[in-house]
Amino acid sequence: MKYDYLIIGSGLFGATFAHLACNVGKRCLVIEKRSHTGGNVYCDNIADINVHKYGAHIFHTSDEEIWNFVNSIVPFNRYTNCPIAKAPNGRMYNLPFNMNTFYQMWGVMTPEEANAKLSEQRLEAQLRMKREGVSDPRNLEEQALMLIGKDIYEQLIKGYTEKQWGRKCTELPAFIIRRLPVRLTFDNNYFNDNFQGIPIGGYNRLIDGLLEGTDLKLNTDFFSDRTYFESLADKIVFTGKIDEFYNYRFGKLEYRTVRFETEIIDMPNWQGNAVVNYTSIDVPFTRIIEHKHFELFGDRVYSNSKTVISREYSSEWQEGMEPFYPINDNKNEELYLKYKAIAQTEKNVIFGGRLAEYKYYDMAPLIKHAFDIFMKQK
């Protein structure tokens, strides 16, 4: 059979594109090198708990069209992301930075008091840079100190960021942290979006719904027989690594990866929250996820006598590991632009998604991007 589209990768971009194409009568074949669909949103079921195998995924958007679209596939619950952080001083703080955080850090109780403390610490950072003859932040550390001050930087940003990127904050570019959310309200909701939640029953239900009507082959590597697979369809939708597609002709792009250490615990409620960041450099992992809190709220958390946690360890990506986060420094951006220039000359290949575009995407913008790309095919 000749297909209209060969879609390489069954993550959110590929699955959404397949869904849109099938809805207008196009024949699609999705091939996936892993043993499961869904890319990094895939969930394992462990002890009757949906475990986010590749890290926490929280869907959030203010785009009503996208929200209605995903809910037409599977209804979403009302999960609200309210992470907390355990700091080097042993205390717990609410995230994002808001009046709860400032009360926990300084004991301030009003927005005016919090703003005065923030202004004082920002001024200290400005004066320090002035003494060193610097007008603009040269690195992430200086940028963070200018935005939020010494106390929050040292307790909640420095160690976590250095573990996440594997580099000192003084060695990281300032643009990584150009903005920091600062709220002078007692609001622990991490996102400002109008809509937020998790698919009821887990993300696998969303992916299964998106892929309904497509032909699917798992454990199938496009590069194992590229000529054969390219002959199967008029057009290719490629969601893998763009440098691999071009046989690394300019060199390899770099990534950060994450290793997960998952454990079943014989108690119903271990940390009391879905996401707890560990911001001390002395703690080797960046955060612990307790997965049941994504779907069981209030007393319902005790309906399952067990719980599942995952510790996350960030490291440099090496061949054979899953590439997670593009390292968007100048060197890698220049390399990616060389690949992008070739990709733009392709008439029958569509590049989409985190790896193919060497760009980190939240889930809702990625789905919207798949919509936009598909509409251009008409």
Side-chain angles (χ1 to χ4, degrees), residues 144-296:
L145 290 170
M146 291 279 286
L147 291 170
I148 203 71
K150 178 181 177 181
D151 293 344
I152 289 176
Y153 168 69
E154 290 186 347
Q155 292 299 322
L156 300 179
I157 297 174
K158 186 176 188 294
Y160 187 91
T161 303
E162 292 183 350
K163 287 189 291 186
Q164 188 176 41
W165 289 98
R167 295 159 177 80
K168 298 290 185 185
C169 286
T170 51
E171 298 169 2
L172 290 167
F175 72 77
I176 291 178
I177 202 167
R178 285 280 185 229
R179 292 180 64 255
L180 281 172
V182 175
R183 295 182 188 153
L184 296 178
T185 58
F186 289 90
D187 179 7
N188 295 325
N189 183 356
Y190 194 82
F191 302 118
N192 289 315
D193 292 298
N194 294 335
F195 310 107
Q196 183 175 174
I198 306 285
I200 294 174
Y203 280 98
N204 297 357
R205 290 191 62 200
L206 174 63
I207 297 297
D208 289 346
L210 290 172
L211 291 175
E212 188 174 342
T214 68
D215 288 348
L216 172 68
K217 291 182 181 292
L218 298 176
N219 300 302
T220 302
D221 187 350
F222 170 71
F223 296 104
S224 67
D225 196 346
R226 180 170 180 164
T227 302
Y228 165 72
F229 287 119
E230 287 179 334
S231 72
L232 295 180
D234 297 327
K235 288 191 175 183
I236 292 173
V237 178
F238 185 77
T239 71
K241 294 186 295 173
I242 190 170
D243 53 352
E244 185 177 17
F245 187 87
Y246 290 110
N247 200 28
Y248 308 108
R249 70 174 67 173
F250 302 121
K252 292 186 177 182
L253 293 163
E254 296 176 312
Y255 298 87
R256 294 291 290 174
T257 191
V258 183
R259 177 175 65 85
F260 302 94
E261 191 179 83
T262 298
E263 178 182 355
I264 302 173
I265 297 179
D266 195 16
M267 65 171 61
N269 187 11
W270 188 73
Q271 68 182 14
N273 203 52
V275 182
V276 179
N277 291 355
Y278 285 75
T279 62
S280 172
I281 196 67
D282 297 325
V283 177
F285 44 84
T286 54
R287 63 182 184 176
I288 297 180
I289 306 301
E290 187 171 4
H291 299 269
K292 72 190 312 182
H293 292 292
F294 290 127
E295 298 187 57
L296 297 176

Side-chain angles (χ1 to χ4, degrees), residues 30-67:
V30 176
I31 62 173
E32 169 60 60
K33 69 178 182 180
R34 296 178 183 177
S35 61
H36 60 75
T37 60
N40 285 3
V41 303
Y42 173 76
C43 293
D44 270 333
N45 189 276
I46 302 174
D48 291 325
I49 297 165
N50 288 313
V51 172
H52 295 209
K53 182 177 176 67
Y54 302 96
H57 285 81
I58 299 117
F59 199 95
H60 58 97
T61 184
S62 289
D63 188 326
E64 190 168 2
E65 180 185 8
I66 296 301
W67 181 248

Side-chain angles (χ1 to χ4, degrees), residues 50-195:
N50 288 313
V51 172
H52 295 209
K53 182 177 176 67
Y54 302 96
H57 285 81
I58 299 117
F59 199 95
H60 58 97
T61 184
S62 289
D63 188 326
E64 190 168 2
E65 180 185 8
I66 296 301
W67 181 248
N68 289 339
F69 169 72
V70 294
N71 276 269
S72 74
I73 307 295
V74 56
F76 278 55
N77 68 22
R78 60 85 171 164
Y79 174 79
T80 301
N81 192 31
C82 299
I84 55 178
K86 186 172 183 181
N89 61 13
R91 299 184 63 188
M92 305 287 276
Y93 296 90
N94 288 105
L95 299 174
F97 309 133
N98 68 77
M99 285 300 300
N100 288 303
T101 322
F102 306 142
Y103 173 73
Q104 292 153 350
M105 184 69 68
W106 300 312
V108 296
M109 298 186 185
T110 67
E112 184 179 16
E113 292 173 326
N115 206 30
K117 191 68 178 177
L118 287 166
S119 297
E120 173 191 319
Q121 296 219 340
R122 288 166 177 155
L123 180 59
E124 288 177 6
Q126 290 171 359
L127 292 174
R128 171 182 153 188
M129 288 178 61
K130 188 175 181 180
R131 286 194 298 270
E132 295 177 5
V134 179
S135 56
D136 295 316
R138 296 165 292 186
N139 52 56
L140 187 147
E141 177 168 287
E142 291 178 350
Q143 181 71 76
L145 290 170
M146 291 279 286
L147 291 170
I148 203 71
K150 178 181 177 181
D151 293 344
I152 289 176
Y153 168 69
E154 290 186 347
Q155 292 299 322
L156 300 179
I157 297 174
K158 186 176 188 294
Y160 187 91
T161 303
E162 292 183 350
K163 287 189 291 186
Q164 188 176 41
W165 289 98
R167 295 159 177 80
K168 298 290 185 185
C169 286
T170 51
E171 298 169 2
L172 290 167
F175 72 77
I176 291 178
I177 202 167
R178 285 280 185 229
R179 292 180 64 255
L180 281 172
V182 175
R183 295 182 188 153
L184 296 178
T185 58
F186 289 90
D187 179 7
N188 295 325
N189 183 356
Y190 194 82
F191 302 118
N192 289 315
D193 292 298
N194 294 335
F195 310 107

